[in-house]
């Protein structure tokens, strides 16, 4: 998950693909999954790649009543031993959260947890972290009250939070953006203004990718200069490799079909 600094990414929670996956929400990158068996193969390859990179992975059972349940990133925001349980922006996804919260509370004994109340809404997929600087997307899933809840959590650590308005042709901030290292932000042309991220800390950089590689801008940076990337985005791959990073490509076609990206499928904790 994007809320854990790259150097802290040692444990990940994932959730299996449900047999109802063809009913998953899809509006941006595609019109919906067509092959559940292939999605399961791709998801297993994702888990294997994390494990091969040294990440300890725990996989929760799927819930067939919730076609989007594999997209765990949206359901919990873990920051330095604290956890915010957002109210997800899609009503059909709210009931995915309890087993995820239960697992994280038992895995992180003593973790401080806060819930969102009232009309606050947020998907964890709207948050990225660049070292100790956070960005949140104000999107169709994340509103100002949700952002205020996140700000309360980050104020506790004295971490800065900047808001990015997500255009209507994108789902989440992480749908179009990621931090493959704690110094780099990848973003496609055609979605955000050049100044959207503001002035970055010394040594940090925004790297613009071609619009047609928007999906490829979602990557998972791991310790040891390793980055998981989606297969089929040559500029993203070459750009990261030019910076000395080792890329591992994964076929994400059936996950993309439900607007899911690499980061959507895990919570690092
Ligand atoms: N299909 C992922 C989502 O819309 O939340």
């Amino acid at each position: 998950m994007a809320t854990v600094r790259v150097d802290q990414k040692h444990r990940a929670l994932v959730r299996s693909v449900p047999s109802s996956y063809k009913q998953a929400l899809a509006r941006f990158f595609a019109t919906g999954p067509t092959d559940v068996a292939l999605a399961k193969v791709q998801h297993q390859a994702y888990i294997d790649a994390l494990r091969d990179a040294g990440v300890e992975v725990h996989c929760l059972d799927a819930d067939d009543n919730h076609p989007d349940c594999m997209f765990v990133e949206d359901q919990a925001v873990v920051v330095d031993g604290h956890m915010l349980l957002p109210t997800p922006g899609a009503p059909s996804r709210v009931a995915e959260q309890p087993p995820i919260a239960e697992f994280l509370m038992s895995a992180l004994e003593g973790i401080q947890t806060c819930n969102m109340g009232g009309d606050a809404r947020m998907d964890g997929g709207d948050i990225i972290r660049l070292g100790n600087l956070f960005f949140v997307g104000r999107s169709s899933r994340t509103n100002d009250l949700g952002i205020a809840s996140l700000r309360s959590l980050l104020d506790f650590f004295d971490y800065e939070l900047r808001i990015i308005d997500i255009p209507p042709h994108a789902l989440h901030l992480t749908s179009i953006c990621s931090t493959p290292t704690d110094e780099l932000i990848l973003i496609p042309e055609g979605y955000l203004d050049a100044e959207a991220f503001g002035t970055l800390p010394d040594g940090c950089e925004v790297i613009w990718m071609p619009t047609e590689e928007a999906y490829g801008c979602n990557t998972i940076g791991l310790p040891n200069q390793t980055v998981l990337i989606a297969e089929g985005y040559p500029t993203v791959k070459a750009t990261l490799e030019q910076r000395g990073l080792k890329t591992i490509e994964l076929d994400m076609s059936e996950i993309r079909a439900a607007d899911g990206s690499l980061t959507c499928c895990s919570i690092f904790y």
Side-chain angles (χ1 to χ4, degrees):
M1 171 185 239
T3 50
V4 171
R5 274 203 332 254
V6 170
D7 64 310
Q8 298 170 343
K9 287 184 178 169
H10 300 294
R11 291 189 294 179
L13 177 64
V14 304
R15 196 168 191 183
S16 298
V17 180
S19 56
S20 56
Y21 182 53
K22 283 188 193 172
Q23 277 77 56
L25 300 172
R27 195 160 72 86
F28 296 91
F29 287 121
T31 52
T34 55
D35 189 336
V36 178
L38 180 57
K40 289 183 179 181
V41 169
Q42 292 175 352
H43 190 253
Q44 186 59 51
Y46 173 90
I47 292 171
D48 292 345
L50 286 172
R51 287 189 173 137
D52 288 349
V55 178
E56 180 187 320
V57 181
H58 182 88
C59 187
L60 288 177
D61 289 341
D63 179 348
D64 290 340
N65 293 317
H66 293 100
D68 285 287
C69 69
M70 68 183 286
F71 301 125
V72 291
E73 176 182 50
D74 294 319
Q75 300 289 341
V77 180
V78 179
V79 179
D80 300 2
H82 287 61
M83 178 163 67
L84 173 63
L85 292 171
T87 304
S92 66
R93 300 201 53 201
V94 171
E96 295 171 25
Q97 193 177 67
I100 294 167
E102 190 181 324
F103 172 81
L104 290 171
M105 283 190 273
S106 69
L108 293 164
E109 204 179 322
I111 191 170
Q112 300 285 316
T113 303
C114 44
N115 292 280
M116 268 184 193
D119 294 328
R121 296 287 179 274
M122 172 171 283
D123 280 5
D126 270 316
I127 302 165
I128 66 164
R129 180 174 188 170
L130 184 74
N132 289 333
L133 171 61
F134 288 72
F135 297 91
V136 62
R138 182 159 43 205
S139 71
S140 59
R141 300 284 177 87
T142 296
N143 64 17
D144 284 325
L145 291 170
I147 291 171
S149 291
L150 176 65
R151 193 178 292 287
S152 300
L153 170 64
L154 297 179
D155 280 351
F156 179 81
F157 297 102
D158 228 4
Y159 290 155
E160 184 182 349
L161 177 66
R162 299 182 189 173
I163 299 172
I164 309 246
D165 282 309
I166 303 303
H169 57 301
L171 174 57
H172 292 132
L173 182 57
T174 59
S175 306
I176 51 168
C177 181
S178 66
T179 51
T181 73
D182 285 323
E183 292 82 32
L184 298 180
I185 298 177
L186 277 186
I187 178 84
E189 305 276 358
Y191 286 83
L192 301 179
D193 293 340
E195 305 306 320
F197 294 94
T199 304
L200 297 183
D202 286 349
C204 295
E205 186 186 0
V206 174
I207 310 177
W208 294 89
M209 294 287 110
T211 305
E212 61 273 19
E213 296 202 26
Y215 182 81
C217 290
N218 181 284
T219 67
I220 298 183
L222 294 170
N224 304 318
Q225 303 285 97
T226 301
V227 187
L228 302 192
I229 64 172
E231 190 176 86
Y233 301 93
T235 315
V236 170
K237 180 175 165 65
T239 300
L240 296 177
E241 290 178 354
Q242 279 157 11
R243 282 168 168 75
L245 297 164
K246 177 185 171 200
T247 60
I248 297 168
E249 280 185 283
L250 291 169
D251 181 355
M252 295 290 287
S253 59
E254 278 301 310
I255 296 169
R256 176 185 160 126
D259 292 335
S261 302
L262 289 159
T263 62
C264 303
C265 301
S266 48
I267 297 174
F268 286 89
Y269 61 96

